[in-house]
Every structure is written in C-alpha cells, then in structure tokens.
C-alpha cells in the first residue's frame, strides 16, 4: 500500500542528530543594504552621464557661450534670448534667418517622420495580415526580416547611397532598364532626396512593424473569430470589431517607438544625403549638430535641443495617453 | 524537535493597508501536526512566512524551541519549508535539489550521498534522482520537494498548501503518506491549507483563521462539533452547517422573524441565563446530519417543502424550504422524497448550536 | 441533374478564390523576402566583384555566371588607399600601408565587449533589486531610467562633449575654491585629464545607453522567476547573495545573453558620439567606414567588403538570438 514503505522505515528519527544550521554567510548584507548596493552603480552612472549633462545644457541654453571662442570664459547669461531666436522672434537679420531655418528644419523632420511611420505601419500591418498563418519557411523569413533593423545605420545608408546612384545604381537599373520607368536622381533633387531617406528607413524598419503586428495578431483568441463566424459576421466586421481593437494597443506602442527613433534620425541623413541638396534633408538632429559643431553656437544649439526635447516629450505623452486610454477601455 | 510559540503576532504589509495578521497567539507542541486552515487571504500563509522568517512581522514574538527567532535570518531558524509550487530548481537534477540544503552545511560528499539515498528510498524517488524536475509528473516533483525539506532533519516543518497542485486521487494518497511521515519523524509540523478535508484528516489540531484573526484552535472533532464562532461553523463541514437568523421567543422557544421556523428549547435549561439581552439577535445552527425527516402527516418540529434533491450515492441531501429559510438535510439514500413534498423535520437537540449574531461567538450551554 | 450543376457551381468559385488567395499569399511572401534580402545580397556580391565590374552598367547580378568573383576587395580592406595610378604593379602593392581597419575593428571589439559586460552586470543587479525589494520611489526611479532612452542623442551630445573634453578642469575649478593646499594640488594634477579620445569615456557613454534597456528587460525576466527559488534556498541556510549566485543567475543567464545582444548592437553600431568624441584615438569602425567614403570616387567594392566583415558578427548574433529579439526591440512590450 501507499504507506508500507514509510511505517517500517524508522531510521530517520532514530538518527535524528538535529544538525544545527550554520551561521548564514554574508549576514551583514541585509536586504536594504543589498538593494542600495545593487542600485547605486546604475543610478549614479545615469545621473552623471545622462542627467548632469542635460542640466548643464539647460544652463548653457540661457547663455550665448561658444565652445570655440569662449573656452574658459564664464558664460554670459542672456535669458530666453536663444529660445526667442530659435522660435523666430529674433531682431537682427541673422537671428531672423535662424528662426526661419529652425521652422524649416522642423517641417523637414515632419516630412520625413510622418510618411515614414505611416508607410511602415500600413505596410507592416498589411504584410502581417497576409502572412498571419503557418507556412513553410516562416521561421527563416522572420529571421531574415530581423536582420535589417540590427544593421549598422551607417552601412545601411552607405549601401542605399550606392544602390540609388543615378548612373550605376541598381535601383535605377531596375526601374529604367527592366521596367522602363524614368531614371530618378534620388539624391540630388530637392523634392526627392527626402524620399531616399524614407525608402532606406522603410527598408530597415517595416519588418519591425510587421513582426509586432504578427505578435499582436497571433495573440487574438481564436474563439472570438469562431463566435463571429457563428453569428455570420462579414470579414470586414471581424476585422473592424475584433482584429483592430485587439492589436491597436500594441501597434500604438510600435508607433511610439518608431516616431521617437525617426525623430532623432541622424546617421542616415549624414551619410546618405549629407543634409543636401540645399539643406532639403537637414532633419532636426542633423541641423542641431551643424549649429553646435560647425557654427559653434553652443548656447543657441542647447536652446534648440531643449525645444526638440519638449516637442518629443509632448508627442510621446500624447501617444502614451492614447495607449493608456485604449488599455483602460480594454 | 521543538515547540513553536507565537505571541501576539501582527503583520501589516503597507502603512495604510489593513492588518494581514491580527494579534495571533498560538502554542504548538513538540511533534504536533498543526494545520492552519482558512479561506484565501485570511492571513494563514503570512503567519507561516513570518514563522519561516520570509516576512518580518510588524509586532509580536515567535519562539522556536526556547529561542526567540525575531530578526533571525530564515536559514538560521532550523526549519524547512515546502512551497505550494515546490520551488524546485529547474537547472539542478532531483539529486542536487535534495542535496542542496546539505551543501549549505559544507558536509562531506559521502555523507551527502548517503543521506540523499536514504531520503530517496524513504520517498521512493531513487529512480528519478538523475532527472531534472521540469517535466516530471507533479506527484514526483512533490516528493522531491519533500525530500529537500526532510533531508536536513529540521526542528519544524512548514508546508504551504503542498497538495493543492496534485490531482484528486494523488492528493488522497499523499495525505496519508504525509501523515505517516510526520508521525514517523515526530517532527513539529505547521501545515497551511484552505481544504477542510485535508485539515480534518491530517491534523492533531486545527487553527482556523479568518481576516487575519485566529478563530479557534482545537482537534478536528472539537472544531467540527463545537465551533467557537459563526465563521468556523460555516467553514467546516460539507454541506456547511445550517444557520438561521432567529431570536428568543418567550423562554421556551426560538423562532425566525416570520415565525414559520419555531423550535422548542425547553430542555436547554440555562440558555436564557447565558443571554444578557433577551431581544438580542441569535443564530440557530444545526448540521444536516443532525436532522431527521418525518414523512408522516403533521409530524416533526417544523414543517417545510422539499425543493431540491441531491442524490450523492451513499447519502442524499434534500433542501427543505421553511418560510424564508432553506435547511439542508442529509438522509439515507433509501429515503425517496419528491420536490413539492411537505415533510416534517426533527432536530437532535443535544447537537444544536446557538450563536450570538452580533459578537459571532457561540453561546455555550 | 440540376443538383449536380449546382454543386459544381457552388464549389468552383470558392476554389478560384482560394487559389487566388494562395497566389497572392506566396507572391507577397516572396516579394517581402526579396525586398528584405536584396540589399544584403547586393552588398555581398559587390564585395566579390572585380574593380571593373563594380561600376558597370548594366550591373551584374550573379557571381560565377556574370563575373568571376575575387577576394581582392577583402585584401584591400586591410590596406590604405592606393595613391595615384599604377596600382597594379607588384612592388607598389607590397609597399602599401596597413589601413586603419584592423585598429578600428580591435577598438570596436574592445569597447563593445567591455560595454556589454559592465552594462549587463550593472543592469541585472539593479533589475534584481527592482524586482525583489520594496524600494521607496521605485516607480519614479524606473521612469527616470526609461526616460533617459527617450532623449534624442544629439541633445545630450553638446554637454557630453563639453564634459568629456576636460572633466579634469571642471573638477579642478571646483577644487581650487577649497583653501587646502593638497586638494588644490590634486586638482592641478588632474587638470589635463580628458575623456575624449579615450576608451573609458566612450565605454561609459555606451554603458549609459545600454543600461535602461538592460534594467527594463531583466526586470521583466526576474518578475517571471518565482521568488520562491531564493526563499527556498534561504530556508536551506544560504544567504540571499548565495541564493542569487547559485539559483537566480543560472536561471537568468539565457535572458542576460539575449539582453546583451542589444547592448552589443547599440555599441557596435553607434556613430555620432564616437565620430565627435574619439576623432583621433579609440575610434571604431563606423566612423572609419564613413571616412573611406572620402570625396569624389568611392571604392564601392572595398566599402562593401569592409561592411560585410563588420556586419558578420551582427548577423550571427541576430541568428542566435532570433527568438528573443522581438521582445527586445519593443522593450518587452511584446511578450513571447
């Protein structure tokens, strides 16, 4: 029976020597001390290398200090002057030009971020809808699609630069020689160059949108569709009232990530178009770099940086609020 | 080998949260099998974790043997703990899991091996010692967890719902086995469960908790036959005790509000003297097996209508409606009643319970 | 017979729709695959092309079919630019200097390795504390850590540049206010200390970039490891530190590896900061790659070969950690 082995086996309590537990080692390391010990390196480093510089640049943004000319000098406070200049309230000609430039660069950034995120979202979600099933080589496809977003942005930009060349570029060869379209001067035409940036970014990040959409789609419980089938719901109804509400929160998170990343795009603009032609691809990050390290207007650059920061925080908050709203409803 | 004393134990998790454990006093004798019983969230697991040293109590003292263990790290209290989900280390083999506590003591390899084999034989897990716990059936995982607990020969075993994750048949087997194991080792055991069957079948004594407060401590028969509070009366026993709101009607009977339920208590001599306020709301309690059915016309202390029949095979339970109240009666399976039948009920008067509805406490008589 | 025709009619149309759907599915599948893989394929075959084929129109697509592949470009990666014409001659070939590629690659490897080890270590410990201990202001601290990732890097670039330029001087300026001579002397002695063009500076910076990610991810993993593991070990007479070492870390190790892939990729790919801060010393491969673009004629074959060499570790990593990557790129928003 179940207990036969136990009742006859009495050697354990006979031998009960009651070995006393040893004193626990590292007794001095109480939970409180340990949490302090574990947290402080991370918090200190972040404080010194992320937060301290930020405060410093806030201070600089209220001065007209320049890293080149004024090294060693005490920064001269100028109040909100730099902010005024950046926002187009300047009085002198150069100041007015800066205001116009900042507005233009914000517009350029918008012209890049908006189409990029929208195309990636639609394309990625569409692909996911189509590919949301089991098929041969699914794992391989997923792995291949992960590669672009892991690659060095500088190299991606380099390679698109080569492929987009008017004369020897393979893209133009395909468009012109194979499909009979016009040769497109991707990188040297004002209206088109920004689309070269969009194209490269779409190549890199559409898979990201697709993979997130797929994760979202596969998380929709099957019984919801089965219930809708029982009710003879149309395909559109199922999409509109089951699929979309279930994947929207995840998609919004993806949009948040992509917007934040696209907003700070730098490497590709630097390598692929170099801001040209005629400054038509100088996105904000790139412009800020030029003001800070080409014109050496450190104070002004800090102010522009803060304006950039405020814009992205506002934008992110808007999106996060939307995400939370939807999460609360669900 | 040790007794455990808990004095005035209280635990509050956050400053603004209510007490999870509220002034618990409990003495557990050496070698006793004590079951802490209660619904989820009643503070039984928190009490156990305080004894183990996994939580720090807000107030109160805990003694293991003669030693005050407040502030002593868990590892120095000489106790073993079996977790609900076993907490077996997935990257170690069953052998290493069982040997793990001994390695903390820096024992010789030979001795570790000898003792692991001994425990493995006792628990009949010799054949799976080399395997990793993940993927083993839950019964075997349970045995490995037990092995890890008994190998160090601690002074006290603490078990937190160890059988909850087993299927019903295995649970019954393990209940018997655990009881024998504890009896053989004669080690003090504090066992937490929400399952009254486990508690009644295994414990020397049961301590019942609700909302952080200790309700009653007693042997299984004591808590079953003499529940000290309304909560215990309702919690222990299947089906639960029938409880009816009522009040003293004159000196000789109890009746509910409508008067449909009236029962003579003339033979309970000193009940009235036990109740300070004759108008106080009371609660009448009787277990379903202490009621008998009389089908004769007009017979019985109270009469009611059969509304539900639950045949369970070895017995049948009828729900009988009397005015606003429903009383469940346990009968022989041979007694067949139909819904709508009007029947009389008789109560075993030496086995009825009266509670003060305000203080919730039993009125002893 | 009416019933028969009806059956064929009703069963044929769905069949056509079914085949059309199948066709569309495989078409999109293959198109997506080709679109994703083509630039990589193009880079790879370009790196194998002889000089004359790189700039040929129409371009050649198939090695061995359209042209004879060569490893010349890979040899070129390690050599400096050929100056002027006549580069085919053997004696000139022999005198060409070694390029910066080996140096910058070594730097990339050193900086990435140290960054990864330290960031994962520090971040894992912090994540453990967040997961297991009740910490005052934990939510605020976690938000603070996450928010540092939202910053556009260029915004911190300016103050970081200033701070790294002469941190010694900054400290010295502060110390000179203290009227104690040996403290002032100490200030003088570190006055010229700089974090620019140094391994330490850029590594600290990359650790800072990686930390929020590690903390966020590892906290998610620790939350999934039952705390009963440590509690069981602590009941058995181990201290919490030993329990972490013996039980928690072995359990968390795969997660640490997966997380480290992201730190590796961030450090390996970073461009702006290293370009600005480490222009003269401790430079990594991305700025070097950018520099060989040069002006005028670009040697695409050599650039391709350099890129391929630099990308191999990343592609290997992507392949190895493919099952964890999605969770990583979304900061754990997607659970698998």
């Amino acid at each position: 029976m179940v207990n036969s082995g136990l009742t006859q086996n009495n050697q354990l309590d006979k031998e009960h020597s009651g070995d006393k537990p040893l004193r626990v080692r590292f007794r001095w390391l109480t939970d409180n001390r340990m949490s302090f010990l574990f947290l402080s390196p991370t918090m200190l480093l972040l404080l010194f290398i992320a937060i301290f510089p930020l405060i410093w640049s806030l201070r600089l943004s209220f001065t007209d200090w320049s890293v080149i000319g004024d090294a060693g000098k005490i920064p001269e406070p100028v109040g909100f002057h730099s902010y005024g200049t950046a926002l187009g309230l300047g009085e002198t000609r150069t100041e007015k030009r800066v205001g116009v430039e900042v507005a233009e660069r914000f517009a350029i950034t918008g012209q890049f971020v908006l189409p990029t995120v929208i195309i990636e979202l639609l394309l990625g979600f569409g692909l996911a809808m189509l590919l949301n099933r089991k098929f041969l080589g699914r794992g391989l496809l997923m792995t291949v699609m992960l590669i672009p977003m892991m690659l060095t942005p500088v190299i991606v930009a380099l390679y698109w630069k080569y492929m987009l060349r008017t004369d020897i570029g393979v893209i133009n060869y395909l468009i012109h020689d194979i499909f009979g379209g016009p040769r497109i001067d991707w990188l040297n035409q004002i209206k088109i160059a920004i689309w070269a940036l969009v194209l490269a970014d779409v190549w890199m990040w559409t898979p990201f949108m697709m993979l997130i959409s797929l994760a979202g789609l596969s998380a929709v419980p099957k019984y919801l569709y089965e219930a809708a089938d029982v009710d003879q719901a149309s395909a559109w109804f199922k999409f509109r009232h089951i699929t979309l509400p279930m994947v929207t929160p995840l998609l919004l998170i993806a949009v948040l990530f992509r917007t934040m990343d696209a907003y700070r795009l730098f490497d590709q603009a630097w390598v692929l178009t170099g801001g040209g032609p005629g400054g038509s691809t100088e996105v904000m990050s790139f412009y800020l770099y030029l003001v800070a390290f080409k014109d050496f207007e450190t104070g002004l650059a800090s102010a522009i940086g803060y304006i950039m920061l405020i814009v992205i925080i506002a934008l992110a908050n808007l999106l996060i609020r939307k995400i939370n709203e939807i999460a609360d409803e669900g | 080998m040790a007794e455990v004393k808990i004095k005035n134990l209280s635990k509050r998790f956050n400053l603004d949260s209510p007490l999870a454990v509220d002034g618990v006093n409990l003495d557990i004798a050496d070698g006793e099998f004590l079951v802490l019983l209660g619904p989820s969230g009643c503070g039984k697991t928190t009490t156990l974790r305080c004894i183990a040293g996994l939580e720090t109590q807000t107030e109160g003292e805990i003694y293991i043997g003669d030693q005050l263990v407040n502030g002593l790290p868990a590892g120095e209290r000489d106790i073993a703990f079996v977790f609900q989900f076993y907490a077996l280390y997935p990257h170690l083999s069953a052998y290493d899991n069982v040997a793990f506590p001994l390695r903390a003591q820096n024992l010789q390899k030979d001795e570790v091996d000898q003792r692991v084999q001994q425990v493995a034989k006792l628990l009949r897990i010799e054949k799976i010692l080399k395997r990793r716990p993940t993927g083993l059936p839950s019964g075997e995982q349970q045995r490995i967890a037990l092995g890890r607990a008994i190998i160090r020969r601690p002074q006290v075993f603490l078990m937190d719902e160890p059988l909850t994750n087993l299927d019903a048949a295995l649970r019954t087997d393990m209940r018997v086995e655990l009881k024998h194991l504890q009896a053989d080792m004669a080690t003090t055991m504090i066992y937490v469960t929400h399952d009254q069957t486990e508690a009644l079948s295994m414990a020397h004594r049961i301590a019942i908790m609700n909302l952080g407060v200790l309700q009653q401590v007693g042997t299984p028969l004591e808590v079953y036959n003499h529940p000290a509070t309304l909560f215990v009366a309702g919690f222990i026993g299947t089906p639960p005790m029938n409880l009816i709101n009522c009040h003293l009607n004159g000196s000789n009977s109890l009746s509910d509000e409508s008067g449909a339920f009236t029962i003579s208590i003339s033979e309970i001599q000193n009940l009235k003297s036990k109740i300070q306020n004759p108008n106080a709301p009371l609660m009448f309690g009787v277990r379903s097996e202490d009621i008998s059915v009389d089908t004769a016309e007009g017979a019985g202390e109270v009469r009611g209508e059969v509304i539900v029949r639950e045949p369970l095979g070895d017995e049948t339970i009828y729900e009988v409606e009397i005015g606003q109240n429903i009383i469940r009666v346990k009968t022989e399976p041979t007694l067949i009643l139909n819904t709508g039948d009007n029947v009389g009920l008789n109560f075993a008067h030496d086995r009825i319970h009266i509670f003060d509805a305000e203080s919730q406490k039993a009125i002893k008589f | 017979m009416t019933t028969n025709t009806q059956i064929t009619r009703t069963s044929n149309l769905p069949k056509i729709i079914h085949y059309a759907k199948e066709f569309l599915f495989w078409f999109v599948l293959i198109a997506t695959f080709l679109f994703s893989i083509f630039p990589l394929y193009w880079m790879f075959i370009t790196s194998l092309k002889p000089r004359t084929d790189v700039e040929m129109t129409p371009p050649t697509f198939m090695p061995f079919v359209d042209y004879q592949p060569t490893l010349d470009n890979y040899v070129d990666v390690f050599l400096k630019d050929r100056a002027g014409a006549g580069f085919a001659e053997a004696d000139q070939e022999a005198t060409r200097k070694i390029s910066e590629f080996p140096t910058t690659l070594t730097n990339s490897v050193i900086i990435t390795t140290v960054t990864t080890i330290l960031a994962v270590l520090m971040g894992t410990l912090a994540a453990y504390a967040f997961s297991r201990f009740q910490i005052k202001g934990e939510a605020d601290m976690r938000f603070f850590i996450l928010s540092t990732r939202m910053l556009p890097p260029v915004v911190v670039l300016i103050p970081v540049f200033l701070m790294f330029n002469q941190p010694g001087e900054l400290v010295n300026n502060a110390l000179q206010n203290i009227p104690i001579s040996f403290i002032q002397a100490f200030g003088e002695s570190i006055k010229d200390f700089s974090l620019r063009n140094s391994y330490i500076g850029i590594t600290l910076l990359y650790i800072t970039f990686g930390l929020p990610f590690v903390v966020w991810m590892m906290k998610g993993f620790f939350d999934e490891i039952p705390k009963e593991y440590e509690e069981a070990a602590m009941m058995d007479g181990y201290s919490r530190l030993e329990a972490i070492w013996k039980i928690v870390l072995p359990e968390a190790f795969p997660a640490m590896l997966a997380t480290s892939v992201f730190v590796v990729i961030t450090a390996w790919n970073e461009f702006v900061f290293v370009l600005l801060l480490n222009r003269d010393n401790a430079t990594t491969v991305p700025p070097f790659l950018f520099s060989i673009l040069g002006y005028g004629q670009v040697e695409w074959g050599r650039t391709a070969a350099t890129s391929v060499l630099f990308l191999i570790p990343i592609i290997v990593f992507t392949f190895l950690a493919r099952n964890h990557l999605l969770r990583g790129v979304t900061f754990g928003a997607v659970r698998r």
Side-chain angles (χ1 to χ4, degrees):
Chain A
M1 269 308 291
V2 198
N3 50 13
S4 56
L6 293 169
T7 38
Q8 286 148 26
N9 197 328
N10 273 324
Q11 69 228 83
L12 265 184
D13 58 318
K14 273 177 211 142
E15 270 181 34
H16 196 291
S17 52
D19 23 36
K20 276 270 165 206
L22 300 172
R23 216 178 134 79
V24 168
R25 283 150 290 212
F26 306 106
R27 218 178 165 197
W28 54 271
L29 194 60
T30 59
D31 283 4
N32 272 336
R33 286 180 189 162
M34 187 184 272
S35 72
F36 179 78
L37 213 65
F38 280 11
L39 281 175
S40 43
T42 295
M43 298 307 283
L44 280 180
L45 194 68
L46 286 178
L47 212 62
F48 272 104
I49 300 201
I51 299 306
F52 176 63
L54 214 61
I55 294 166
W56 191 354
S57 91
L58 182 66
R59 196 179 128 228
L60 284 179
S61 72
F62 293 107
T63 68
D64 64 351
W65 197 72
S66 164
V67 64
I68 281 260
D70 304 337
K73 276 191 213 159
I74 307 275
E76 191 87 12
V78 292
F80 282 93
H81 184 80
S82 299
Y83 287 91
T85 307
L87 294 174
L89 304 172
E91 275 155 24
T92 67
R93 245 171 133 199
T94 32
E95 282 174 0
K96 278 189 176 138
R97 212 199 64 226
V98 169
V100 172
E101 273 177 6
V102 170
E104 258 178 31
R105 300 320 186 243
F106 261 117
I108 291 171
T109 311
Q111 280 166 25
F112 167 74
V113 173
L114 221 61
T116 304
V117 175
I118 291 174
I119 294 174
E120 283 168 10
L121 176 67
L122 294 181
L123 213 59
F125 186 63
L127 284 174
M129 288 288 291
L130 276 169
L131 300 184
N132 184 27
R133 66 178 222 195
K134 285 200 175 107
F135 55 86
L136 192 71
R138 188 183 154 120
L140 177 73
L141 180 79
M142 300 298 146
T143 311
V144 166
M145 299 202 74
L146 274 166
I147 293 174
M149 62 182 113
M150 301 290 147
L151 298 185
T152 316
V154 170
I155 293 181
V156 171
L158 265 176
Y159 253 75
W160 280 93
K161 193 182 174 102
Y162 172 51
M163 294 195 304
L164 288 172
R165 288 265 300 256
T166 327
D167 45 356
I168 57 167
V170 65
I171 305 277
N172 267 322
Y173 169 76
L174 290 175
I175 293 175
H176 181 259
D177 296 25
I178 304 284
F179 295 108
R183 273 188 188 280
I184 300 171
D185 194 359
W186 288 97
L187 301 175
N188 297 314
Q189 276 193 312
I190 287 191
K191 288 259 152 90
I192 296 177
I194 193 97
W195 290 98
L197 284 180
V198 174
L199 180 63
D201 203 82
V202 165
W203 177 76
M204 249 183 121
W205 289 102
T206 301
F208 168 79
M209 284 288 191
M210 191 196 94
L211 293 170
I212 290 201
S213 306
L214 269 178
L217 286 175
S218 60
V220 181
K222 278 241 158 42
Y223 63 79
L224 289 180
Y225 292 115
E226 286 162 4
D229 282 339
V230 171
D231 297 339
Q232 300 195 322
S234 68
W236 167 250
F237 182 91
K238 281 190 272 185
F239 175 76
R240 176 70 190 75
H241 292 281
I242 298 172
T243 313
L244 216 51
M246 297 291 284
V247 293
T248 308
L250 206 54
L251 284 185
L252 278 179
I253 291 175
V255 167
L256 175 70
F257 274 85
R258 283 307 305 137
T259 310
M260 271 165 34
D261 283 351
Y263 182 74
R264 61 179 179 216
L265 177 98
F266 181 89
D267 301 9
Q268 289 95 318
W270 178 285
V271 178
L272 190 57
T273 60
S280 65
T281 55
E282 272 182 21
V283 289
M284 274 316 285
S285 287
F286 192 94
Y287 177 67
L288 182 56
Y289 186 92
L290 293 183
V291 175
F293 296 103
K294 212 172 154 209
D295 305 343
F296 293 108
E297 297 261 19
T298 313
L300 179 64
S302 300
I304 296 175
Y306 262 88
I307 294 173
M308 261 187 92
L309 202 58
I310 291 164
V311 169
I312 191 65
I313 287 173
L315 218 66
N317 266 330
L318 219 66
L319 268 169
I320 289 171
R321 199 168 296 170
K322 190 84 197 157
I323 292 169
N324 287 340
E325 235 168 63
I326 291 174
D328 285 346
E329 282 165 20
Chain B
M1 300 278 152
E3 68 273 348
V4 176
K5 277 203 187 76
I6 300 167
K7 282 192 181 154
N8 208 17
L9 182 80
S10 290
K11 169 73 186 175
R12 197 190 288 280
F13 282 101
N14 292 309
L15 278 178
D16 47 352
S17 63
L19 282 171
V21 176
D22 188 353
V24 166
N25 281 291
L26 196 56
D27 281 6
I28 300 145
D30 184 12
E32 180 174 1
F33 193 132
L34 181 107
V35 172
L36 270 172
L37 176 68
S40 62
C42 72
K44 57 191 191 299
T45 297
T46 309
T47 306
L48 193 74
R49 289 171 59 87
C50 286
I51 301 171
L54 295 173
E55 303 280 356
T56 312
Q57 65 265 35
T58 317
E59 256 177 66
E61 284 150 16
I62 297 170
Y63 294 86
I64 295 174
D66 310 324
Q67 194 186 10
L68 178 68
V69 295
N70 289 13
L72 207 63
E76 291 179 19
R77 295 190 179 194
D78 200 7
I79 46 189
F81 199 112
V82 176
F83 293 87
Q84 184 177 353
F85 295 97
Y86 316 140
L88 296 172
Y89 312 125
H91 65 287
L92 298 180
S93 66
Y95 183 99
D96 289 326
N97 263 286
V98 174
F100 198 74
L102 295 185
R103 302 219 161 111
Q105 318 271 343
N106 300 325
L107 289 187
Q108 291 295 314
K109 219 179 163 198
D110 297 349
E111 194 185 348
V112 170
D113 187 60
Q114 186 209 335
R115 280 171 65 173
V116 171
Q117 296 300 346
Q118 199 178 41
V119 167
K121 199 174 158 208
L122 182 70
L123 293 169
R124 280 169 283 129
I125 49 171
E126 301 109 308
K127 290 207 177 91
I128 53 165
L129 278 180
K130 287 210 176 86
R131 299 188 41 193
R132 298 259 175 111
T134 2
L136 286 176
S138 53
E140 316 228 293
Q141 293 193 20
Q142 168 73 72
R143 284 162 189 277
I144 300 169
L146 279 177
R148 195 173 66 190
I150 63 177
I151 193 158
R152 224 189 53 228
R153 300 161 193 166
Q155 296 200 55
V156 183
F157 286 136
L158 306 178
M159 302 208 175
D160 186 9
E161 312 225 5
L163 303 185
T164 310
N165 296 311
L166 302 180
D167 60 52
L170 204 53
R171 197 151 55 206
T172 318
D173 287 352
M174 279 307 287
R175 230 156 50 197
V176 179
E177 217 168 305
L178 260 181
K179 200 173 171 174
H180 279 286
L181 188 69
Q182 196 269 341
D184 283 355
M185 299 187 66
T187 305
T188 314
M189 161 100 87
I190 305 175
Y191 183 106
V192 161
T193 183
H194 66 270
D195 180 346
Q196 49 155 323
T197 322
E198 260 174 41
L200 292 169
S201 64
M202 294 164 81
H204 296 148
R205 282 194 307 156
I206 300 176
I208 297 154
M209 289 183 74
N210 186 36
L211 300 173
V213 180
L214 188 62
Q215 305 278 320
Q216 184 177 8
V217 188
T219 64
L221 285 181
E222 265 168 27
V223 295
Y224 187 83
N225 290 329
H226 305 288
T229 67
L230 265 178
F231 175 80
V232 177
F235 192 74
I236 299 233
T238 358
M241 185 184 280
N242 295 297
L243 291 168
I244 293 167
N245 277 308
C246 60
H247 54 86
L248 211 53
N249 192 4
S251 57
N252 291 327
S253 63
L254 280 174
S255 44
D256 70 350
E257 209 166 323
S258 66
F261 174 88
T262 302
I263 169 174
S264 157
I265 47 157
S266 53
E267 72 268 41
I268 307 175
Q269 293 299 327
N270 46 5
L271 175 65
K272 202 173 172 192
S273 61
K274 290 276 168 81
I275 303 167
Q276 273 91 26
N277 177 6
N279 301 320
L282 301 175
M283 199 67 109
F284 168 86
V286 63
R287 294 208 180 272
S288 52
E289 67 265 31
D290 298 330
I291 308 171
S292 55
V293 177
D294 196 335
T295 50
E297 189 103 3
E301 289 178 70
V302 295
R303 291 196 68 82
E305 186 186 318
V306 175
I307 52 170
V308 174
R309 182 157 70 109
E310 294 174 48
L312 298 177
D314 58 338
E315 62 193 28
T316 302
I317 292 170
Y318 289 100
E319 284 187 9
V320 180
E321 192 177 43
I322 299 154
Q324 303 284 313
N325 303 297
I326 290 171
I327 289 188
R328 297 166 138 221
V329 187
K330 211 181 259 185
T331 68
E332 292 293 316
T334 47
L335 179 73
I336 306 288
L337 301 172
N338 295 313
T339 51
D341 285 1
N342 200 285
V343 293
L345 300 180
N346 288 312
F347 303 101
H349 279 226
D350 53 335
R351 294 184 60 85
I352 63 174
H353 307 267
I354 315 253
F355 300 90
D356 181 331
E358 254 158 27
S359 72
Q360 311 255 307
K361 293 215 166 90
I363 297 167
K364 294 216 174 74
F365 44 83
Chain C
M1 284 299 108
T2 30
T3 34
N4 224 345
T5 41
Q6 200 124 31
I7 287 171
T8 29
R9 198 181 297 151
T10 45
S11 59
N12 244 350
L13 192 65
K15 233 180 196 173
I16 291 167
I17 290 177
H18 175 77
Y19 283 127
K21 268 188 178 168
E22 273 309 276
F23 175 77
L24 183 70
F25 171 80
W26 287 104
F27 178 78
V28 170
L29 185 73
I30 290 164
T32 312
F33 184 79
L34 288 181
F35 182 65
S36 277
I37 204 91
F38 181 75
L40 292 171
Y41 172 75
W42 196 247
M43 182 187 297
F44 182 64
I45 61 162
T46 305
S47 75
L48 294 174
K49 280 181 184 177
R51 214 152 217 281
T52 46
D53 272 54
V54 171
E55 308 214 338
M56 189 186 272
T57 40
T60 45
F61 284 87
M62 304 284 285
F64 295 108
V65 178
D66 292 341
Y67 63 91
Q68 195 54 41
T70 159
L71 288 177
D72 285 355
N73 288 320
Y74 287 89
V75 176
D76 274 3
V77 168
F78 294 91
L79 298 173
K80 280 218 175 191
D81 268 337
R82 307 149 206 256
F87 45 75
E89 280 138 57
D91 51 319
Q92 266 210 342
E93 199 70 42
T95 55
R96 281 171 64 198
K97 288 194 182 128
I98 301 289
S99 75
E100 276 105 45
F101 183 70
T103 326
T104 53
L105 186 68
T106 317
N107 289 342
S108 272
V109 170
I110 292 172
I111 291 169
T112 304
T113 312
V114 177
T115 297
T116 307
I117 292 172
L118 288 179
V120 170
L121 203 73
M122 287 165 65
T124 302
L125 292 182
Y128 179 84
F130 279 133
S131 174
R132 290 299 197 265
F133 300 130
Q134 287 199 328
I135 295 163
K136 270 186 203 147
E138 182 189 327
D140 295 335
M141 278 206 261
R142 291 229 317 275
F143 178 77
F144 157 70
I145 290 176
L146 184 65
S147 67
T148 57
R149 212 205 95 114
M150 285 184 13
L151 301 176
V154 176
V155 176
V156 271
L157 188 56
I158 303 162
V160 163
F161 177 83
L162 295 175
M163 193 170 82
F164 275 28
N165 208 8
Q166 276 188 315
E169 196 176 272
L170 288 175
V171 175
N172 180 34
N173 286 346
L175 292 185
Q176 292 308 322
N177 294 329
I178 303 169
I180 301 172
S181 61
F182 76 86
I183 289 184
Q184 287 180 350
F186 173 72
E188 283 293 326
S189 70
I190 60 164
K191 199 172 76 177
D192 294 329
F193 176 69
S194 167
L195 285 170
R196 281 189 64 202
N197 296 315
S198 80
Y199 290 100
I200 298 176
I202 201 76
T203 305
L204 282 178
L205 202 60
Y206 287 174
I207 294 173
T208 317
F209 292 164
L211 266 177
F213 179 78
V214 178
V215 172
W216 202 260
M217 290 293 290
M218 288 311 296
K219 181 180 181 293
F221 284 110
F222 281 134
D223 286 348
E224 281 170 23
I225 298 179
K227 67 178 190 312
E228 278 85 5
Y229 285 159
E230 291 117 278
E231 288 179 345
M234 281 155 73
M235 295 300 312
D236 291 343
Y238 293 91
S239 64
R240 189 182 276 277
L241 196 67
E242 290 168 304
I244 293 173
W245 180 250
K246 284 185 196 286
I247 305 297
V248 183
L249 285 188
E251 284 298 301
F253 193 67
M256 287 167 75
L257 275 186
T259 307
S260 69
V261 171
F262 284 91
V263 185
V264 167
I265 284 171
T266 321
W268 192 253
N269 290 346
E270 206 282 325
F271 173 62
V272 200
F273 281 86
V274 75
L275 179 76
L276 189 72
L277 297 175
N278 288 10
R279 212 178 270 280
D280 309 316
N281 186 33
T283 301
T284 57
V285 175
F288 163 73
L289 255 170
F290 180 65
S291 74
I292 63 169
L293 260 187
Y295 305 94
Q297 216 45 14
V298 180
E299 287 187 74
W300 289 110
R302 188 167 75 145
T303 313
T306 315
S307 302
V308 168
L309 288 179
F310 189 63
L311 290 183
I312 285 173
I314 290 203
I315 291 172
V316 170
F317 269 130
T318 308
F319 186 74
L320 291 179
R322 60 191 180 281
N323 292 328
H324 298 284
L325 285 185
L326 187 59
R327 193 172 163 174
V329 280
T330 56
F331 249 57
V334 175
R335 307 231 153 215
R336 285 217 141 175

